[in-house]
Coordinates of all heavy atoms in Angstrom, one line a residue:
M1 N -18.7 -4.9 -7.2 CA -18.0 -5.4 -8.3 C -16.5 -5.7 -8.0 O -16.0 -6.7 -8.4 CB -18.1 -4.4 -9.5 CG -17.4 -4.8 -10.7 SD -18.3 -6.2 -11.4 CE -17.3 -6.6 -12.8
L2 N -15.9 -4.8 -7.2 CA -14.6 -5.0 -6.8 C -14.4 -6.2 -5.9 O -13.4 -6.9 -6.0 CB -14.1 -3.7 -6.1 CG -12.6 -3.7 -5.7 CD1 -11.7 -3.8 -6.9 CD2 -12.3 -2.4 -4.9
F3 N -15.4 -6.5 -5.1 CA -15.4 -7.7 -4.3 C -15.3 -8.9 -5.1 O -14.6 -9.9 -4.8 CB -16.6 -7.7 -3.3 CG -16.6 -9.0 -2.5 CD1 -15.8 -9.2 -1.4 CD2 -17.6 -9.9 -2.8 CE1 -15.9 -10.3 -0.7 CE2 -17.6 -11.1 -2.1 CZ -16.8 -11.3 -1.0
V4 N -16.1 -9.0 -6.2 CA -16.1 -10.1 -7.1 C -14.8 -10.3 -7.7 O -14.2 -11.4 -7.8 CB -17.3 -10.0 -8.1 CG1 -17.2 -11.1 -9.1 CG2 -18.6 -10.0 -7.4
V5 N -14.2 -9.2 -8.2 CA -12.9 -9.3 -8.8 C -11.8 -9.8 -7.8 O -11.0 -10.7 -8.2 CB -12.5 -8.0 -9.4 CG1 -11.0 -8.0 -9.9 CG2 -13.4 -7.6 -10.6
A6 N -11.8 -9.2 -6.6 CA -10.8 -9.6 -5.6 C -11.0 -11.1 -5.2 O -10.0 -11.8 -5.0 CB -11.0 -8.7 -4.4
T7 N -12.2 -11.5 -5.1 CA -12.5 -12.9 -4.7 C -12.0 -13.9 -5.8 O -11.4 -14.9 -5.6 CB -14.0 -13.1 -4.4 OG1 -14.4 -12.2 -3.4 CG2 -14.3 -14.6 -4.0
T8 N -12.3 -13.5 -7.1 CA -11.8 -14.3 -8.2 C -10.3 -14.4 -8.2 O -9.8 -15.5 -8.4 CB -12.4 -13.7 -9.5 OG1 -13.8 -13.6 -9.4 CG2 -12.0 -14.6 -10.7
L9 N -9.7 -13.3 -8.1 CA -8.2 -13.3 -8.0 C -7.6 -14.1 -6.9 O -6.7 -14.8 -7.1 CB -7.7 -11.9 -8.0 CG -7.9 -11.0 -9.2 CD1 -7.4 -9.6 -9.0 CD2 -7.1 -11.6 -10.4
A10 N -8.3 -14.0 -5.7 CA -7.8 -14.8 -4.6 C -8.0 -16.3 -4.9 O -7.1 -17.1 -4.5 CB -8.6 -14.4 -3.3
V11 N -9.1 -16.7 -5.5 CA -9.4 -18.1 -5.8 C -8.3 -18.6 -6.8 O -7.8 -19.7 -6.7 CB -10.8 -18.3 -6.4 CG1 -11.0 -19.7 -7.0 CG2 -11.8 -18.1 -5.2
V12 N -8.0 -17.8 -7.8 CA -7.0 -18.2 -8.8 C -5.7 -18.3 -8.2 O -4.9 -19.3 -8.4 CB -7.0 -17.2 -10.0 CG1 -5.8 -17.4 -10.9 CG2 -8.3 -17.2 -10.8
A13 N -5.3 -17.4 -7.3 CA -4.0 -17.4 -6.6 C -3.9 -18.7 -5.7 O -2.9 -19.3 -5.7 CB -3.8 -16.2 -5.8
V14 N -5.0 -19.0 -5.0 CA -4.9 -20.2 -4.1 C -4.9 -21.5 -4.9 O -4.1 -22.4 -4.6 CB -6.1 -20.2 -3.1 CG1 -6.2 -21.5 -2.4 CG2 -5.9 -19.0 -2.2
T15 N -5.6 -21.5 -6.0 CA -5.6 -22.8 -6.8 C -4.3 -23.0 -7.6 O -4.0 -24.2 -7.9 CB -6.8 -22.8 -7.8 OG1 -6.7 -21.7 -8.6 CG2 -8.1 -22.9 -7.0
T16 N -3.6 -22.0 -7.8 CA -2.3 -22.2 -8.5 C -1.2 -22.6 -7.6 O -0.1 -23.0 -8.1 CB -1.9 -20.9 -9.3 OG1 -1.7 -19.8 -8.4 CG2 -2.9 -20.5 -10.4
M17 N -1.4 -22.4 -6.3 CA -0.3 -22.9 -5.4 C -0.4 -24.4 -5.1 O -1.5 -25.0 -5.2 CB -0.5 -22.1 -4.0 CG -0.2 -20.7 -4.1 SD -0.4 -20.0 -2.4 CE -0.7 -18.3 -2.8
D18 N 0.7 -24.9 -4.7 CA 0.7 -26.3 -4.2 C 0.0 -26.4 -2.9 O -0.4 -25.4 -2.3 CB 2.1 -26.9 -4.1 CG 2.8 -27.0 -5.4 OD1 2.1 -27.1 -6.4 OD2 4.0 -26.9 -5.4
R19 N -0.2 -27.6 -2.4 CA -0.8 -27.7 -1.1 C 0.2 -27.1 -0.1 O 1.3 -27.4 -0.1 CB -1.0 -29.2 -0.7 CG -2.1 -29.8 -1.5 CD -2.3 -31.2 -1.1 NE -3.5 -31.7 -1.7 CZ -4.2 -32.6 -1.2 NH1 -3.9 -33.3 -0.1 NH2 -5.3 -33.0 -1.8
P20 N -0.4 -26.2 0.7 CA 0.5 -25.5 1.7 C 1.0 -26.4 2.8 O 0.3 -27.2 3.3 CB -0.4 -24.4 2.3 CG -1.7 -24.8 2.0 CD -1.7 -25.7 0.8
T21 N 2.3 -26.3 3.0 CA 3.0 -27.0 4.1 C 3.9 -26.1 4.7 O 4.1 -24.9 4.3 CB 3.8 -28.3 3.6 OG1 4.9 -27.8 2.8 CG2 2.9 -29.2 2.8
L22 N 4.5 -26.5 5.8 CA 5.5 -25.7 6.5 C 6.7 -25.3 5.7 O 7.3 -24.2 5.8 CB 5.9 -26.4 7.8 CG 6.8 -25.6 8.7 CD1 6.1 -24.4 9.2 CD2 7.2 -26.5 9.9
F23 N 7.0 -26.1 4.7 CA 8.3 -25.9 4.0 C 8.0 -25.3 2.6 O 9.0 -25.0 1.9 CB 9.0 -27.3 3.8 CG 9.3 -27.9 5.1 CD1 8.6 -29.0 5.5 CD2 10.3 -27.3 5.9 CE1 8.9 -29.6 6.7 CE2 10.5 -27.9 7.2 CZ 9.9 -29.1 7.6
N24 N 6.8 -25.1 2.2 CA 6.5 -24.5 0.9 C 6.7 -23.0 0.9 O 6.5 -22.4 1.9 CB 5.1 -24.8 0.4 CG 4.9 -26.1 -0.2 OD1 5.8 -26.9 -0.2 ND2 3.7 -26.4 -0.6
R25 N 7.2 -22.5 -0.2 CA 7.3 -21.0 -0.4 C 6.2 -20.6 -1.4 O 5.8 -21.4 -2.2 CB 8.6 -20.6 -0.9 CG 9.8 -20.8 0.1 CD 11.1 -20.3 -0.3 NE 11.0 -18.9 -0.8 CZ 11.2 -17.8 0.0 NH1 11.4 -18.0 1.2 NH2 11.1 -16.7 -0.6
P26 N 5.7 -19.4 -1.3 CA 4.8 -18.9 -2.3 C 5.4 -19.0 -3.7 O 6.6 -19.0 -3.8 CB 4.5 -17.5 -1.9 CG 5.1 -17.3 -0.6 CD 6.0 -18.3 -0.3
P27 N 4.6 -19.0 -4.7 CA 5.1 -19.0 -6.1 C 5.9 -17.7 -6.4 O 5.8 -16.7 -5.7 CB 3.9 -19.0 -7.0 CG 2.7 -19.2 -6.1 CD 3.1 -19.0 -4.7
E28 N 6.8 -17.8 -7.4 CA 7.6 -16.6 -7.7 C 6.9 -15.4 -8.0 O 7.3 -14.3 -7.7 CB 8.6 -17.0 -8.8 CG 9.5 -18.1 -8.5 CD 10.5 -17.7 -7.4 OE1 10.9 -16.6 -7.3 OE2 10.8 -18.6 -6.6
W29 N 5.7 -15.5 -8.7 CA 5.0 -14.3 -9.1 C 4.3 -13.7 -7.9 O 3.9 -12.5 -8.0 CB 3.9 -14.7 -10.1 CG 2.9 -15.7 -9.6 CD1 3.0 -17.1 -9.8 CD2 1.7 -15.5 -8.9 NE1 1.9 -17.7 -9.2 CE2 1.1 -16.7 -8.6 CE3 1.1 -14.3 -8.4 CZ2 0.0 -16.8 -7.9 CZ3 0.0 -14.5 -7.6 CH2 -0.6 -15.7 -7.4
F30 N 4.2 -14.3 -6.8 CA 3.5 -13.8 -5.6 C 4.3 -12.5 -5.1 O 3.6 -11.7 -4.5 CB 3.4 -14.9 -4.5 CG 2.5 -14.5 -3.4 CD1 1.1 -14.4 -3.7 CD2 3.0 -14.2 -2.2 CE1 0.3 -14.1 -2.7 CE2 2.1 -13.8 -1.2 CZ 0.7 -13.8 -1.4
E31 N 5.6 -12.5 -5.3 CA 6.3 -11.3 -4.8 C 5.9 -10.0 -5.6 O 6.1 -8.9 -5.1 CB 7.8 -11.5 -4.9 CG 8.3 -12.6 -3.9 CD 9.7 -12.8 -4.0 OE1 10.5 -12.0 -4.6 OE2 10.2 -13.8 -3.4
A32 N 5.3 -10.2 -6.7 CA 4.9 -9.0 -7.5 C 3.7 -8.3 -6.8 O 3.5 -7.1 -7.0 CB 4.5 -9.4 -8.9
V33 N 3.0 -9.0 -5.9 CA 1.9 -8.4 -5.2 C 2.4 -7.3 -4.3 O 1.7 -6.3 -4.1 CB 1.2 -9.5 -4.3 CG1 0.2 -8.9 -3.4 CG2 0.6 -10.6 -5.2
F34 N 3.6 -7.4 -3.8 CA 4.2 -6.3 -2.9 C 4.6 -5.1 -3.6 O 5.0 -4.1 -3.0 CB 5.3 -6.9 -2.1 CG 4.9 -8.1 -1.3 CD1 5.4 -9.4 -1.5 CD2 4.0 -7.9 -0.2 CE1 5.0 -10.4 -0.8 CE2 3.6 -9.0 0.6 CZ 4.1 -10.2 0.3
V35 N 4.5 -5.0 -4.9 CA 4.8 -3.8 -5.7 C 3.7 -2.8 -5.5 O 4.0 -1.6 -5.5 CB 5.0 -4.2 -7.2 CG1 5.1 -2.9 -8.1 CG2 6.2 -5.1 -7.4
V36 N 2.5 -3.2 -5.4 CA 1.3 -2.3 -5.2 C 1.5 -1.4 -4.0 O 1.4 -0.2 -4.1 CB 0.0 -3.0 -5.3 CG1 -1.2 -2.1 -5.0 CG2 -0.2 -3.8 -6.6
P37 N 1.7 -2.0 -2.8 CA 1.9 -1.1 -1.6 C 3.2 -0.2 -1.8 O 3.2 0.9 -1.3 CB 2.1 -2.0 -0.4 CG 1.7 -3.4 -0.9 CD 1.7 -3.4 -2.4
T38 N 4.2 -0.7 -2.5 CA 5.4 0.1 -2.7 C 5.1 1.3 -3.5 O 5.5 2.5 -3.3 CB 6.5 -0.7 -3.3 OG1 6.7 -1.8 -2.4 CG2 7.8 0.1 -3.4
L39 N 4.3 1.1 -4.6 CA 3.8 2.3 -5.4 C 3.0 3.2 -4.6 O 3.1 4.5 -4.8 CB 3.0 1.8 -6.6 CG 3.8 1.0 -7.6 CD1 2.9 0.4 -8.7 CD2 4.9 1.8 -8.2
G40 N 2.2 2.7 -3.7 CA 1.4 3.6 -2.8 C 2.3 4.4 -1.9 O 2.0 5.6 -1.6
A41 N 3.4 3.8 -1.4 CA 4.3 4.5 -0.6 C 5.0 5.7 -1.4 O 5.1 6.8 -0.8 CB 5.4 3.6 0.0
V42 N 5.3 5.4 -2.6 CA 5.9 6.5 -3.4 C 4.8 7.6 -3.7 O 5.2 8.8 -3.6 CB 6.4 5.9 -4.8 CG1 6.8 7.0 -5.8 CG2 7.5 4.9 -4.5
A43 N 3.6 7.2 -3.9 CA 2.5 8.2 -4.1 C 2.3 9.0 -2.8 O 2.0 10.2 -2.8 CB 1.2 7.5 -4.5
T44 N 2.5 8.4 -1.6 CA 2.4 9.1 -0.4 C 3.5 10.1 -0.2 O 3.3 11.2 0.3 CB 2.4 8.1 0.8 OG1 1.3 7.2 0.7 CG2 2.3 8.8 2.1
L45 N 4.7 9.8 -0.7 CA 5.8 10.8 -0.6 C 5.4 12.0 -1.5 O 5.7 13.1 -1.1 CB 7.1 10.1 -1.1 CG 7.7 9.1 -0.1 CD1 8.9 8.5 -0.8 CD2 8.0 9.7 1.2
V46 N 4.8 11.7 -2.7 CA 4.4 12.8 -3.5 C 3.3 13.7 -2.8 O 3.3 14.9 -2.9 CB 3.9 12.3 -4.9 CG1 3.3 13.4 -5.7 CG2 5.0 11.6 -5.6
A47 N 2.4 13.0 -2.1 CA 1.3 13.7 -1.4 C 1.9 14.5 -0.3 O 1.4 15.6 0.0 CB 0.3 12.7 -0.9
V48 N 2.9 14.1 0.4 CA 3.6 14.8 1.4 C 4.2 16.1 0.8 O 4.0 17.2 1.4 CB 4.7 14.0 2.2 CG1 5.6 14.9 3.0 CG2 4.1 12.9 3.0
G49 N 4.8 16.0 -0.3 CA 5.4 17.2 -1.0 C 4.3 18.2 -1.4 O 4.4 19.4 -1.2
L50 N 3.2 17.7 -1.9 CA 2.1 18.6 -2.3 C 1.5 19.2 -1.1 O 1.1 20.4 -1.2 CB 1.0 17.8 -3.1 CG 1.4 17.3 -4.5 CD1 0.3 16.4 -5.1 CD2 1.7 18.4 -5.4
G51 N 1.3 18.5 0.0 CA 0.8 19.1 1.2 C 1.7 20.2 1.8 O 1.3 21.2 2.2
A52 N 3.0 19.9 1.7 CA 4.0 20.9 2.2 C 3.9 22.2 1.4 O 4.0 23.3 1.9 CB 5.4 20.3 2.2
R53 N 3.8 22.0 0.1 CA 3.7 23.1 -0.8 C 2.4 23.9 -0.6 O 2.4 25.1 -0.6 CB 3.7 22.7 -2.3 CG 3.9 23.9 -3.2 CD 3.8 23.4 -4.7 NE 2.4 23.4 -5.0 CZ 2.0 23.0 -6.2 NH1 2.8 22.5 -7.1 NH2 0.7 23.0 -6.5
A54 N 1.3 23.2 -0.3 CA 0.0 23.9 0.0 C 0.1 24.7 1.3 O -0.4 25.8 1.4 CB -1.1 22.9 0.0
W55 N 0.8 24.1 2.3 CA 1.0 24.9 3.5 C 1.9 26.1 3.3 O 1.6 27.2 3.9 CB 1.5 24.0 4.6 CG 0.4 23.1 5.3 CD1 0.1 21.9 5.0 CD2 -0.4 23.6 6.3 NE1 -0.9 21.5 5.8 CE2 -1.3 22.5 6.7 CE3 -0.6 24.8 7.0 CZ2 -2.3 22.6 7.6 CZ3 -1.6 24.8 8.0 CH2 -2.4 23.8 8.3
H56 N 2.9 25.9 2.6 CA 3.9 27.0 2.4 C 3.3 28.1 1.6 O 3.5 29.3 2.0 CB 5.2 26.4 1.7 CG 6.2 27.5 1.5 ND1 6.9 28.0 2.5 CD2 6.7 28.0 0.4 CE1 7.8 28.9 2.0 NE2 7.6 28.9 0.7
R57 N 2.6 27.8 0.6 CA 2.0 28.9 -0.2 C 0.6 29.3 0.2 O 0.0 30.2 -0.5 CB 1.9 28.4 -1.7 CG 3.3 28.2 -2.3 CD 3.2 27.7 -3.7 NE 4.5 27.5 -4.3 CZ 4.6 27.1 -5.6 NH1 3.6 26.9 -6.4 NH2 5.8 26.9 -6.1
S58 N 0.0 28.6 1.2 CA -1.4 28.9 1.6 C -2.3 28.8 0.4 O -3.2 29.7 0.3 CB -1.5 30.3 2.3 OG -0.6 30.3 3.4
E59 N -2.2 27.8 -0.3 CA -3.0 27.6 -1.6 C -4.5 27.3 -1.3 O -5.4 27.7 -2.0 CB -2.4 26.6 -2.5 CG -1.1 27.0 -3.1 CD -0.5 25.9 -4.0 OE1 -0.9 24.8 -3.9 OE2 0.4 26.3 -4.7
W60 N -4.7 26.4 -0.3 CA -6.1 26.0 0.0 C -6.6 26.6 1.3 O -5.9 27.3 2.0 CB -6.1 24.4 0.2 CG -5.5 23.7 -0.9 CD1 -5.5 24.0 -2.2 CD2 -4.8 22.4 -0.8 NE1 -4.8 23.1 -3.0 CE2 -4.4 22.1 -2.1 CE3 -4.5 21.6 0.2 CZ2 -3.7 20.9 -2.4 CZ3 -3.8 20.4 -0.1 CH2 -3.5 20.1 -1.4
S61 N -7.9 26.4 1.6 CA -8.4 26.9 2.8 C -7.7 26.1 4.0 O -7.2 25.0 3.8 CB -9.9 26.7 2.9 OG -10.2 25.3 3.0
L62 N -7.8 26.7 5.2 CA -7.2 26.0 6.4 C -7.8 24.7 6.6 O -7.1 23.7 6.9 CB -7.4 26.9 7.6 CG -6.8 26.4 8.9 CD1 -5.3 26.2 8.8 CD2 -7.2 27.3 10.0
G63 N -9.1 24.6 6.5 CA -9.8 23.3 6.7 C -9.3 22.2 5.7 O -9.1 21.1 6.1
A64 N -9.2 22.6 4.5 CA -8.7 21.7 3.4 C -7.3 21.2 3.7 O -6.9 20.0 3.6 CB -8.8 22.3 2.0
R65 N -6.4 22.2 4.1 CA -5.0 21.8 4.4 C -4.9 20.9 5.6 O -4.1 19.9 5.6 CB -4.2 23.1 4.6 CG -3.9 23.8 3.4 CD -3.1 25.0 3.6 NE -3.9 26.0 4.3 CZ -3.5 27.2 4.8 NH1 -2.2 27.5 4.7 NH2 -4.3 28.0 5.4
V66 N -5.7 21.2 6.7 CA -5.7 20.3 7.9 C -6.2 18.9 7.5 O -5.6 17.9 7.9 CB -6.5 20.9 9.0 CG1 -6.8 19.9 10.1 CG2 -5.9 22.2 9.5
H67 N -7.3 18.8 6.7 CA -7.8 17.5 6.3 C -6.8 16.8 5.5 O -6.6 15.6 5.7 CB -9.1 17.7 5.5 CG -9.7 16.5 5.0 ND1 -9.5 16.0 3.8 CD2 -10.5 15.6 5.7 CE1 -10.1 14.8 3.6 NE2 -10.8 14.5 4.7
Y68 N -6.2 17.4 4.6 CA -5.2 16.8 3.7 C -4.0 16.3 4.5 O -3.5 15.2 4.3 CB -4.7 17.8 2.6 CG -3.9 17.1 1.5 CD1 -4.5 16.5 0.5 CD2 -2.5 17.2 1.5 CE1 -3.8 15.9 -0.5 CE2 -1.8 16.6 0.5 CZ -2.4 16.0 -0.5 OH -1.7 15.4 -1.5
A69 N -3.6 17.1 5.5 CA -2.5 16.7 6.3 C -2.8 15.5 7.2 O -2.0 14.6 7.4 CB -2.1 17.9 7.2
L70 N -4.0 15.4 7.7 CA -4.4 14.3 8.5 C -4.5 13.0 7.6 O -4.1 11.9 8.1 CB -5.8 14.5 9.2 CG -5.8 15.6 10.3 CD1 -7.2 15.9 10.8 CD2 -4.9 15.1 11.4
V71 N -5.0 13.1 6.4 CA -5.1 11.9 5.5 C -3.7 11.5 5.2 O -3.4 10.3 5.2 CB -5.9 12.3 4.3 CG1 -5.8 11.2 3.2 CG2 -7.4 12.5 4.6
V72 N -2.8 12.4 4.9 CA -1.4 12.0 4.5 C -0.7 11.4 5.7 O 0.0 10.5 5.6 CB -0.7 13.2 3.9 CG1 0.8 12.9 3.8 CG2 -1.3 13.6 2.6
A73 N -1.0 12.0 6.9 CA -0.3 11.4 8.1 C -0.8 10.0 8.4 O 0.0 9.1 8.7 CB -0.6 12.3 9.3
G74 N -2.1 9.8 8.1 CA -2.6 8.4 8.2 C -2.0 7.4 7.3 O -1.7 6.3 7.6
T75 N -1.8 7.9 6.0 CA -1.1 7.0 5.1 C 0.4 6.8 5.4 O 0.9 5.7 5.2 CB -1.3 7.5 3.6 OG1 -0.7 8.8 3.6 CG2 -2.7 7.5 3.2
V76 N 1.0 7.8 6.0 CA 2.4 7.6 6.4 C 2.5 6.5 7.5 O 3.3 5.7 7.5 CB 3.0 8.9 6.9 CG1 4.3 8.7 7.6 CG2 3.2 9.9 5.7
V77 N 1.5 6.6 8.4 CA 1.5 5.6 9.5 C 1.2 4.2 8.9 O 1.8 3.2 9.3 CB 0.4 6.0 10.6 CG1 0.2 4.8 11.5 CG2 0.9 7.2 11.3
L78 N 0.3 4.1 8.0 CA 0.0 2.9 7.3 C 1.2 2.3 6.7 O 1.5 1.1 6.8 CB -1.1 3.0 6.3 CG -1.4 1.8 5.4 CD1 -2.0 0.7 6.2 CD2 -2.3 2.2 4.2
Y79 N 1.9 3.1 5.9 CA 3.1 2.5 5.2 C 4.3 2.3 6.2 O 5.1 1.4 5.9 CB 3.5 3.4 4.1 CG 2.5 3.3 2.9 CD1 1.7 4.3 2.6 CD2 2.4 2.1 2.3 CE1 0.7 4.1 1.6 CE2 1.5 1.9 1.3 CZ 0.7 2.9 0.9 OH -0.3 2.7 0.0
G80 N 4.3 2.9 7.3 CA 5.2 2.6 8.4 C 4.9 1.2 8.9 O 5.8 0.4 9.1
L81 N 3.6 0.9 9.1 CA 3.2 -0.5 9.5 C 3.5 -1.5 8.5 O 4.0 -2.6 8.8 CB 1.8 -0.5 9.9 CG 1.4 0.2 11.2 CD1 -0.1 0.3 11.3 CD2 2.0 -0.5 12.4
L82 N 3.3 -1.2 7.2 CA 3.6 -2.1 6.1 C 5.1 -2.4 6.0 O 5.5 -3.5 5.8 CB 3.1 -1.6 4.8 CG 1.5 -1.6 4.6 CD1 1.2 -0.9 3.3 CD2 1.0 -3.0 4.7
H83 N 5.9 -1.4 6.3 CA 7.3 -1.6 6.3 C 7.7 -2.5 7.5 O 8.6 -3.3 7.3 CB 8.0 -0.2 6.3 CG 9.5 -0.4 6.4 ND1 10.3 -0.8 5.3 CD2 10.4 -0.1 7.4 CE1 11.5 -0.8 5.7 NE2 11.7 -0.4 6.9
Y84 N 7.1 -2.3 8.6 CA 7.4 -3.0 9.8 C 7.1 -4.5 9.6 O 7.8 -5.4 10.0 CB 6.6 -2.5 11.0 CG 6.8 -3.3 12.3 CD1 8.0 -3.2 13.0 CD2 5.8 -4.1 12.7 CE1 8.2 -3.9 14.2 CE2 6.0 -4.8 13.9 CZ 7.2 -4.7 14.6 OH 7.4 -5.4 15.8
W85 N 6.0 -4.8 8.9 CA 5.5 -6.1 8.6 C 6.2 -6.7 7.4 O 5.9 -7.8 6.9 CB 4.0 -6.2 8.4 CG 3.3 -5.9 9.7 CD1 3.6 -6.2 10.9 CD2 2.0 -5.3 9.7 NE1 2.6 -5.8 11.8 CE2 1.6 -5.3 11.1 CE3 1.1 -4.8 8.8 CZ2 0.4 -4.7 11.5 CZ3 -0.1 -4.3 9.2 CH2 -0.5 -4.3 10.6
N86 N 7.2 -6.0 6.8 CA 7.9 -6.4 5.6 C 7.0 -6.7 4.4 O 7.1 -7.7 3.7 CB 8.8 -7.7 5.9 CG 9.9 -7.4 6.8 OD1 10.4 -6.3 6.8 ND2 10.2 -8.3 7.7
L87 N 6.0 -5.9 4.2 CA 5.0 -6.0 3.1 C 5.3 -5.0 2.0 O 4.4 -4.8 1.1 CB 3.6 -5.8 3.6 CG 3.1 -6.9 4.6 CD1 1.7 -6.6 5.1 CD2 3.2 -8.3 4.0
L88 N 6.5 -4.4 2.0 CA 6.8 -3.5 0.9 C 8.0 -4.2 0.1 O 8.9 -4.8 0.7 CB 7.3 -2.2 1.4 CG 6.2 -1.4 2.2 CD1 6.9 -0.1 2.7 CD2 5.1 -1.0 1.3
A89 N 8.0 -4.0 -1.2 CA 9.1 -4.5 -2.0 C 10.2 -3.5 -2.0 O 10.5 -2.8 -3.0 CB 8.5 -4.8 -3.4
V90 N 10.9 -3.5 -0.9 CA 12.0 -2.5 -0.8 C 13.3 -3.2 -0.9 O 13.5 -4.3 -0.4 CB 11.9 -1.7 0.5 CG1 13.1 -0.8 0.7 CG2 10.6 -1.0 0.6

């Protein structure tokens, strides 16, 4: 279902653009797309804080804390790459 929604949104986005040339810029609303990864980066910062609190207070089991730390580390690397590629609305 998500694939159908994403495909439909992509078709609508492409059809609303002019014919692409070297000198065209994307439409003004297209910059709003970069807000979603930025919100994810903010959520990742919250996740880092929650993980640090879980390690400090030993709230979860060791396996759960290690798993959570690895997932958060992966998202930090992902958002580092998104920042490098200028795909964040910063």
Side-chain angles (χ1 to χ4, degrees):
M1 183 66 184
L2 183 60
F3 174 75
V4 174
V5 172
T7 304
T8 304
L9 290 176
V11 168
V12 168
V14 169
T15 56
T16 59
M17 292 183 201
D18 293 334
R19 291 184 169 204
T21 66
L22 183 61
F23 303 109
N24 280 5
R25 292 187 49 89
E28 295 297 324
W29 59 265
F30 192 70
E31 292 181 12
V33 172
F34 299 113
V35 171
V36 174
T38 304
L39 293 175
V42 171
T44 300
L45 291 175
V46 172
V48 167
L50 291 175
R53 188 183 88 184
W55 277 98
H56 180 68
R57 295 183 182 178
S58 299
E59 291 179 345
W60 306 330
S61 68
L62 179 63
R65 287 181 288 174
V66 168
H67 178 265
Y68 191 81
L70 290 174
V71 170
V72 170
T75 57
V76 167
V77 169
L78 171 68
Y79 287 112
L81 288 171
L82 289 175
H83 178 69
Y84 177 76
W85 291 330
N86 295 324
L87 295 176
L88 297 176
V90 177

